[in-house]
Amino acid sequence: MVLSHFHADHTAGLRDFPNARILYKRGEYTAIKDLGLLALVKAGCLPGLLLDDFEERSPLIDETPHPGGYPL
């Protein structure tokens, strides 16, 4: 599964796929991972929707620029 961001409407179904790998951009997760519960809710995120082992089994998307762009 690919998460573009961590708002509740994008993470609500993750627990329905307990074996799925989840891809995400570091900046999107960094922006919310250390927020307190109230700040998360204000930001539209509900931490209980993420899997308990989210970080351990979710590789980051490689955002390294590639010379000449990505091959098709």
Side-chain angles (χ1 to χ4, degrees):
M1 303 188 90
V2 178
L3 292 179
S4 59
H5 59 282
F6 288 86
H7 288 162
D9 62 327
H10 288 249
T11 59
L14 291 179
R15 290 191 177 272
D16 293 333
F17 302 93
N19 298 317
R21 290 179 51 179
I22 303 157
L23 300 173
Y24 60 94
K25 288 186 173 183
R26 179 187 317 268
E28 293 297 324
Y29 187 58
T30 301
I32 60 110
K33 82 174 208 169
D34 293 324
L35 295 178
L37 183 58
L38 183 58
L40 282 168
V41 172
K42 282 183 174 182
C45 304
L46 299 175
L49 298 176
L50 293 179
L51 301 161
D52 297 332
D53 60 349
F54 174 79
E55 289 186 41
E56 290 79 28
R57 66 184 183 111
S58 301
L60 293 166
I61 294 173
D62 180 8
E63 297 181 70
T64 306
H66 295 270
Y70 289 96
L72 297 176

